[in-house]
Amino acid sequence: MSGILEAFRLYVQNLSYDGVLPETFQYAFVINSLICGLLIGPLLGWMGTMVVVKRMAFFSQAIGNAALTGVAIGIMLGEPYNAPYISMFGFCLLFGIGLKYTQHRTSMSLDTLIGVFLSVSLALGASLVLFVSARVNTHILESILFGSILTVNDTDINVLLAVSVICVVVGMPLFNRTLLASFNPGLAHARGLAVRRLDYTFVILITLLTVACVKIVGAVLVVALLLIPAASARNICSSLSGFVGWSVAFSSASCLLGIVVPMQYDLAIPSGGAIVLAAAVIFVITTIIRSTSGRFREAGV
Amino acid sequence: MAGPAISFSDVNLTLGGVRILRDVSFKIESGELACVIGPNGGGKTSLIRSLLGQMPHSGNVRYEGDGAVQLGYVPQFLEIDRTLPLTVTNVMSVMVQRTPAFFGVKKKYLSLINAALDRTGFKGKRNRLFGGLSGGERQRVLFAQALMPEPNFLVLDEPTANMDEAGARRIEEVVLELNALGTTVLWINHDLAQVKRVASKVVVVDGGVPYCGPPSEMPPQIAETRAGVVV
C-alpha cells in the first residue's frame, strides 16, 4: 500500500512542479493530508446522516473523548506514542459496545448512560495521563484532542483506508435496515430484521470511524464533522438523496477548504479547527437559506 | 394463500414487577378476522408484541398451518423526527429495497410502493415529507407498508385511530379484501360498531382473556366492565 501512496504523491508533486497545481502540493505532508481529507470527507458526511437520524451525536462525542484514555493505556502498555492504535481501537470498542449492552440490559436512556460512561472514561483517562506525561511530550496528547492532519504518516493513512473500506462494505448494504430499525424497532423486527445486531454493527462502525479520524481532526472535533455537514444538508433538502448527497458534498468541501486555505494564505489555524470552521460557515449559509426561504417555512411555535 | 392459525396457551408476561398478561389462552383459526378489544393498559399491545416475539413472555405462542407465514404488521406510529428530509417514497423504499434508499427507488419497487399506497387511497403527496403529513395520512402510509409484500397474516395495532371516516372505511375494505383471500387478521380495535361489522371473533384482553368468541355472543356485562367499550 505504501508503494501506491508513494506513486500517488510523486504524481501530484509532478503536477505541482509543472504548474498545474499550487506550489504547496510539492510537499508530501500536504498530499497526505489531502488524501485523508478525501477519505474522511465523504465518509463522515454519509455516516453523519445516519448519526443524525439515529440521534447518536453525543455517542460519537463520547467515543472521541474515550480515545484519549485509549491513548494513555496504549502508551502505558508500550505501544508507539504516536500511533497507539491497538489500545485506542480496543478501548473505544469496549466503551461503545459496553455502553450499548448496558442500554439494552437496563433500558436506561442513552443520554444518561453516555454521561455516566463519558465521565468514568475521562476520569480514568485523566488519571492515566498523569502517569504517561512523565514518559512522553504532552503535546502528543494535545494532537489527539485537536488533531494534526499535517503530521499523518503512511500508517495513519492505511488505518483510515482500511476503516473506510469496512464502513462502506458493511455500512452501505445495512443503510436502509439501520434507518428502519431507528424508525420503529418493533416494525423492523416484524419485517425480519435483527434489530440488536444492527444496533451493535452501527455502534462498531461509528467507533471505528471516530477512532480512525481522531489523529486527523481530533477527538474533540471529530463529532463536529459528523454532525455539521448533515445538519447543513438537512437545512436545505427535502429528500433522502439530497440529504446524503449534500452532506457528503459539504463534508468533503469542508475538509478540502480546511486543509488548503490556511496553507495557501499562511493562516495560523490548525487543520482540525480550520476544517470545522469551514463546515460551520456552510452551516450558517444553509441556515440563512432555510430561515429566509418560504419553501422551508414552519409553524413558529 | 391461506393464513396461519395462531394459538396462545398459558401466556404470562410480567414487566417491571407488574403482571401485564395472566394465563392467556385462545386460538385464532386460519383465515379468521379477530378483533382484540380491551381497556387502556389491559395488555393488548403487549399481547401482540408477545406474538411477534418482542416480549419476554412465558407460555406458548404457536403458528399452525402449511407454508410460510408472510407477516404484515401495522404499528401505532413511526418515531421519525418531523424535520428529517424523508419523503413518503423514501420511507416506503427503506421498507422493501436493499439498495440504499438515497440512490433512488428501483422501478420494480416503485410500482410496488405506488400500488400499496393506491390501495389505501393515499393519493398524490408521495414526494411530500413524511414528517409533514397529518396523523391520519401517516397511518395510511404505515398501513400501506404492511401490504408489501402481500401478507397472509395481518397484525394491526389501531391502524385507524387518527383517520377520518373515509380513510377508516378504505382501510376496512382492504382488510376485508385480504381476509376474503384467506389472510388471517388480528386487529386491535376500539370501535365496537366496526368490530361487530367485520370480526368473526372478538378477543377481550384485560390482563387475562375474559371472553373470546363471536361478537354477537359477547355477554353485555363483559363488554361493559372488561372490554373498555360503551355498548
Side-chain angles (χ1 to χ4, degrees), chain B residues 37-40 190 204-206 222-231:
Chain B
I37 62 174
N40 294 331
H190 285 295
V204 178
V205 178
D206 182 14
I222 285 187
E224 281 165 16
T225 59
R226 306 287 301 275
V229 293
V230 178
V231 181

mmCIF file of all heavy atoms in Angstrom, chain B residues 37-40 190 204-206 222-231:
data_model
loop_
_atom_site.group_PDB
_atom_site.id
_atom_site.type_symbol
_atom_site.label_atom_id
_atom_site.label_comp_id
_atom_site.label_asym_id
_atom_site.label_seq_id
_atom_site.Cartn_x
_atom_site.Cartn_y
_atom_site.Cartn_z
ATOM 1 N N ILE B 37 -60.136 -6.315 21.713
ATOM 2 C CA ILE B 37 -60.607 -5.100 22.387
ATOM 3 C C ILE B 37 -60.263 -5.203 23.872
ATOM 4 O O ILE B 37 -59.953 -6.291 24.375
ATOM 5 C CB ILE B 37 -62.128 -4.863 22.191
ATOM 6 C CG1 ILE B 37 -62.940 -6.009 22.801
ATOM 7 C CG2 ILE B 37 -62.466 -4.689 20.724
ATOM 8 C CD1 ILE B 37 -64.447 -5.745 22.766
ATOM 9 N N GLY B 38 -60.303 -4.087 24.536
ATOM 10 C CA GLY B 38 -59.978 -4.090 25.963
ATOM 11 C C GLY B 38 -59.676 -2.690 26.432
ATOM 12 O O GLY B 38 -59.439 -1.794 25.616
ATOM 13 N N PRO B 39 -59.662 -2.471 27.746
ATOM 14 C CA PRO B 39 -59.421 -1.120 28.271
ATOM 15 C C PRO B 39 -57.965 -0.697 28.067
ATOM 16 O O PRO B 39 -57.098 -1.547 27.821
ATOM 17 C CB PRO B 39 -59.731 -1.271 29.769
ATOM 18 C CG PRO B 39 -59.477 -2.711 30.050
ATOM 19 C CD PRO B 39 -59.844 -3.464 28.812
ATOM 20 N N ASN B 40 -57.707 0.600 28.181
ATOM 21 C CA ASN B 40 -56.321 1.083 28.105
ATOM 22 C C ASN B 40 -55.501 0.426 29.202
ATOM 23 O O ASN B 40 -55.946 0.320 30.341
ATOM 24 C CB ASN B 40 -56.267 2.613 28.300
ATOM 25 C CG ASN B 40 -56.951 3.344 27.171
ATOM 26 O OD1 ASN B 40 -56.999 2.848 26.049
ATOM 27 N ND2 ASN B 40 -57.493 4.513 27.469
ATOM 28 N N HIS B 190 -60.894 -0.214 18.795
ATOM 29 C CA HIS B 190 -61.736 0.320 19.873
ATOM 30 C C HIS B 190 -63.140 0.665 19.399
ATOM 31 O O HIS B 190 -63.957 1.112 20.193
ATOM 32 C CB HIS B 190 -61.085 1.576 20.477
ATOM 33 C CG HIS B 190 -59.926 1.264 21.363
ATOM 34 N ND1 HIS B 190 -60.068 0.564 22.533
ATOM 35 C CD2 HIS B 190 -58.602 1.526 21.239
ATOM 36 C CE1 HIS B 190 -58.886 0.423 23.108
ATOM 37 N NE2 HIS B 190 -57.986 0.986 22.325
ATOM 38 N N VAL B 204 -61.413 -10.317 24.097
ATOM 39 C CA VAL B 204 -61.363 -9.252 25.100
ATOM 40 C C VAL B 204 -60.099 -9.472 25.947
ATOM 41 O O VAL B 204 -59.922 -10.550 26.529
ATOM 42 C CB VAL B 204 -62.618 -9.257 25.999
ATOM 43 C CG1 VAL B 204 -62.513 -8.161 27.061
ATOM 44 C CG2 VAL B 204 -63.873 -9.074 25.164
ATOM 45 N N VAL B 205 -59.223 -8.473 25.962
ATOM 46 C CA VAL B 205 -57.968 -8.586 26.727
ATOM 47 C C VAL B 205 -57.978 -7.556 27.853
ATOM 48 O O VAL B 205 -58.019 -6.350 27.597
ATOM 49 C CB VAL B 205 -56.740 -8.371 25.811
ATOM 50 C CG1 VAL B 205 -55.451 -8.434 26.621
ATOM 51 C CG2 VAL B 205 -56.707 -9.400 24.701
ATOM 52 N N ASP B 206 -57.955 -8.060 29.066
ATOM 53 C CA ASP B 206 -57.898 -7.177 30.240
ATOM 54 C C ASP B 206 -57.034 -7.882 31.286
ATOM 55 O O ASP B 206 -57.517 -8.381 32.287
ATOM 56 C CB ASP B 206 -59.318 -6.940 30.763
ATOM 57 C CG ASP B 206 -59.315 -5.989 31.955
ATOM 58 O OD1 ASP B 206 -58.292 -5.330 32.187
ATOM 59 O OD2 ASP B 206 -60.339 -5.937 32.664
ATOM 60 N N ILE B 222 -69.522 -8.274 30.315
ATOM 61 C CA ILE B 222 -68.091 -8.266 29.957
ATOM 62 C C ILE B 222 -67.794 -7.054 29.093
ATOM 63 O O ILE B 222 -66.787 -6.362 29.282
ATOM 64 C CB ILE B 222 -67.695 -9.578 29.248
ATOM 65 C CG1 ILE B 222 -67.610 -10.681 30.292
ATOM 66 C CG2 ILE B 222 -66.349 -9.425 28.508
ATOM 67 C CD1 ILE B 222 -67.080 -11.982 29.834
ATOM 68 N N ALA B 223 -68.684 -6.770 28.126
ATOM 69 C CA ALA B 223 -68.489 -5.595 27.263
ATOM 70 C C ALA B 223 -68.406 -4.329 28.109
ATOM 71 O O ALA B 223 -67.582 -3.449 27.869
ATOM 72 C CB ALA B 223 -69.615 -5.493 26.254
ATOM 73 N N GLU B 224 -69.249 -4.251 29.144
ATOM 74 C CA GLU B 224 -69.305 -3.029 29.948
ATOM 75 C C GLU B 224 -68.157 -2.927 30.951
ATOM 76 O O GLU B 224 -67.607 -1.851 31.174
ATOM 77 C CB GLU B 224 -70.645 -2.963 30.691
ATOM 78 C CG GLU B 224 -71.770 -2.502 29.782
ATOM 79 C CD GLU B 224 -73.147 -2.769 30.364
ATOM 80 O OE1 GLU B 224 -73.243 -3.027 31.582
ATOM 81 O OE2 GLU B 224 -74.128 -2.732 29.607
ATOM 82 N N THR B 225 -67.777 -4.058 31.555
ATOM 83 C CA THR B 225 -66.803 -3.972 32.650
ATOM 84 C C THR B 225 -65.376 -4.325 32.250
ATOM 85 O O THR B 225 -64.432 -3.865 32.879
ATOM 86 C CB THR B 225 -67.205 -4.913 33.811
ATOM 87 O OG1 THR B 225 -67.259 -6.253 33.290
ATOM 88 C CG2 THR B 225 -68.561 -4.538 34.385
ATOM 89 N N ARG B 226 -65.181 -5.131 31.200
ATOM 90 C CA ARG B 226 -63.824 -5.598 30.896
ATOM 91 C C ARG B 226 -63.301 -5.177 29.520
ATOM 92 O O ARG B 226 -62.100 -5.281 29.261
ATOM 93 C CB ARG B 226 -63.767 -7.145 30.957
ATOM 94 C CG ARG B 226 -64.258 -7.760 32.250
ATOM 95 C CD ARG B 226 -63.281 -7.552 33.412
ATOM 96 N NE ARG B 226 -61.955 -8.103 33.190
ATOM 97 C CZ ARG B 226 -61.620 -9.371 33.434
ATOM 98 N NH1 ARG B 226 -62.518 -10.226 33.873
ATOM 99 N NH2 ARG B 226 -60.383 -9.774 33.239
ATOM 100 N N ALA B 227 -64.215 -4.792 28.612
ATOM 101 C CA ALA B 227 -63.771 -4.582 27.229
ATOM 102 C C ALA B 227 -63.406 -3.137 26.914
ATOM 103 O O ALA B 227 -62.891 -2.852 25.834
ATOM 104 C CB ALA B 227 -64.841 -5.069 26.260
ATOM 105 N N GLY B 228 -63.682 -2.215 27.818
ATOM 106 C CA GLY B 228 -63.326 -0.819 27.576
ATOM 107 C C GLY B 228 -64.129 -0.173 26.472
ATOM 108 O O GLY B 228 -63.677 0.763 25.826
ATOM 109 N N VAL B 229 -65.327 -0.685 26.206
ATOM 110 C CA VAL B 229 -66.171 -0.091 25.161
ATOM 111 C C VAL B 229 -67.520 0.291 25.765
ATOM 112 O O VAL B 229 -67.923 -0.237 26.805
ATOM 113 C CB VAL B 229 -66.409 -1.074 23.980
ATOM 114 C CG1 VAL B 229 -65.119 -1.321 23.242
ATOM 115 C CG2 VAL B 229 -67.025 -2.374 24.464
ATOM 116 N N VAL B 230 -68.196 1.209 25.099
ATOM 117 C CA VAL B 230 -69.544 1.594 25.533
ATOM 118 C C VAL B 230 -70.535 0.876 24.629
ATOM 119 O O VAL B 230 -70.474 0.996 23.403
ATOM 120 C CB VAL B 230 -69.742 3.124 25.430
ATOM 121 C CG1 VAL B 230 -71.162 3.503 25.843
ATOM 122 C CG2 VAL B 230 -68.725 3.834 26.289
ATOM 123 N N VAL B 231 -71.397 0.074 25.244
ATOM 124 C CA VAL B 231 -72.340 -0.720 24.438
ATOM 125 C C VAL B 231 -73.548 0.135 24.080
ATOM 126 O O VAL B 231 -74.061 0.834 24.938
ATOM 127 C CB VAL B 231 -72.780 -1.967 25.221
ATOM 128 C CG1 VAL B 231 -73.738 -2.806 24.377
ATOM 129 C CG2 VAL B 231 -71.572 -2.781 25.613
#
